[in-house]
Amino acid sequence: MSFSRLYDGPEPSRINKWLGQSGVCSRREADALIADGLVAIDGEVVTDAGRKIEPGQTLTLSDRAESALAAGITIVMHKPVGYVSGQPEPGKIPAVRLLTGASRIGEGAVPAADASLPPIGRLDEDSRGLLMFSSDGVVAKAVIGPQSDLDKEYLVRIVGDVTEKKLKILRHGLMLDGRQLRPAYVSRMESFRLKFILREGRNRQIRRMCEMVDLEVVDLIRVRIGPIKLDNLPEGAWRMLTAEERVALLA
C-alpha cells in the first residue's frame, strides 16, 4: 500500500524538508528515496533532489519506499497495571518483559532480549492500556515528536463529586509544573467514569489534573493513540503494528 499525501502548505517547499517536518522520514532518507526513484509528484517520478512540491500537488512514495522506511518494528501492547513503561527502578518490572511468544497475538517474531525497543509515549505503573514500543524512528517522531498532534484517549474511573464546574476546569484552565496545559476534551460517560482526550503527555497528567479538582483516579486505561486503537487486545498481550496502521500514523 503506497503512501500518498496532499501538500496544502501556503507556498512551495523542498520535498526533503516537507517530509522531514511531517515526520514521514528524515531529510537524508528523503534524498535517498528520490535518488532511487521512489518518490513521485502527481504521478511523475522525481529525479531532482532540489525539487519543490507546489500547493495542491500530491506526493506518493512507492511500496518499495515504504518497505525501506519500515526497517524498524513497532509493537502494540495492552500493558497491565504493575509494569513500568521504560527503564525500571530497582524492584520495578519493565513492560518489555511481556514480549514473549506466549503473549503474542498474530504473526511476527518475538524481539530478541537485547533488542532496542523504547516506548513511544509513557503509561505509568498504576495505569493500563495501549502502549507502543518501536525501533522505527519515523513512527516514534510521528507519535511523540515535537510536531506531533496525535490525540490520546483514556477512560478513567474516579471517586469524588463530579460537577460541571470541575469538568470545565479540567477541560481548560489548569497548570502543571508552572506551565499551562493544552485544552483537553473531558466528558462524563457514567456517574464515576470520564473520558479524556489529550494532545500532550505530562507525567501522570490525568491523575494530577483530577487531584487538583478533588477527584481521585482509581482506574485509568488508554484506549487509543491517534488512529491506533486498543480494541480487543487482551491485557498483557501484544501484536505487531500493521503496514496500514503505520501509513495511518504518518498521515
Side-chain angles (χ1 to χ4, degrees):
M1 179 179 180
S2 60
F3 169 88
S4 292
R5 182 179 293 182
L6 176 71
Y7 177 61
D8 58 0
E11 55 188 34
S13 174
R14 284 178 64 103
I15 292 172
N16 62 359
K17 178 181 178 181
W18 179 51
L19 289 176
Q21 291 176 337
S22 302
V24 175
C25 61
S26 69
R27 293 192 185 190
R28 183 173 296 178
E29 286 173 324
D31 289 339
L33 295 177
I34 291 171
D36 289 341
L38 305 180
V39 180
I41 293 178
D42 287 349
E44 175 191 353
V45 175
V46 176
T47 57
D48 177 8
R51 172 78 175 270
K52 292 185 177 182
I53 186 169
E54 305 279 343
Q57 291 185 320
T58 298
L59 180 144
T60 303
L61 301 181
S62 70
D63 290 339
R64 193 152 64 90
E66 276 292 290
S67 297
L69 292 175
I73 65 170
T74 301
I75 284 171
V76 177
M77 173 188 287
H78 185 163
K79 186 191 87 67
V81 170
Y83 292 81
V84 296
S85 300
Q87 282 296 111
E89 298 175 1
K92 303 294 184 181
I93 308 173
V96 290
R97 295 253 187 100
L98 295 170
L99 299 180
T100 66
S103 59
R104 179 186 58 203
I105 302 295
E107 301 297 322
V110 177
D114 60 350
S116 177
L117 277 173
I120 48 176
R122 295 173 296 192
L123 196 59
D124 66 62
E125 182 181 6
D126 300 323
S127 301
R128 57 194 178 98
L130 180 57
L131 179 62
M132 297 170 65
F133 299 87
S134 185
S135 59
D136 184 334
V138 177
V139 167
K141 184 176 180 181
V143 176
I144 60 173
Q147 303 300 320
S148 176
D149 201 38
L150 290 178
D151 54 18
K152 289 86 173 175
E153 182 177 339
Y154 305 80
L155 303 182
V156 182
R157 190 157 56 89
I158 54 91
V159 171
D161 182 23
V162 180
T163 65
E164 284 303 316
K165 181 179 179 180
K166 290 182 180 180
L167 291 176
K168 184 177 180 180
I169 294 173
L170 289 171
R171 291 170 185 142
H172 188 72
L174 288 175
M175 294 187 67
L176 284 181
D177 304 322
R179 292 166 52 201
Q180 185 78 35
L181 292 174
R182 299 175 68 178
Y185 174 89
V186 185
S187 63
R188 189 201 304 257
M189 301 183 65
E190 300 168 5
S191 297
F192 298 104
R193 200 158 180 245
L194 304 177
K195 177 195 292 186
F196 281 73
I197 298 179
L198 307 180
R199 278 195 164 88
E200 59 188 330
R202 309 274 189 92
N203 183 36
R204 297 176 69 86
Q205 179 173 336
I206 292 176
R207 295 178 186 276
R208 294 167 69 194
M209 289 171 66
C210 288
E211 286 173 3
M212 294 173 76
V213 292
D214 297 320
L215 297 175
E216 179 187 0
V217 173
V218 293
D219 183 52
L220 186 154
I221 179 170
R222 181 160 63 198
V223 296
R224 181 174 60 83
I225 298 175
I228 310 304
K229 298 180 180 179
L230 184 63
D231 285 337
N232 297 318
L233 188 65
E235 192 165 317
W238 63 276
R239 65 175 179 81
M240 290 292 185
L241 187 80
T242 68
E244 291 78 14
E245 287 175 325
R246 185 179 187 274
V247 170
L249 272 174
L250 302 186

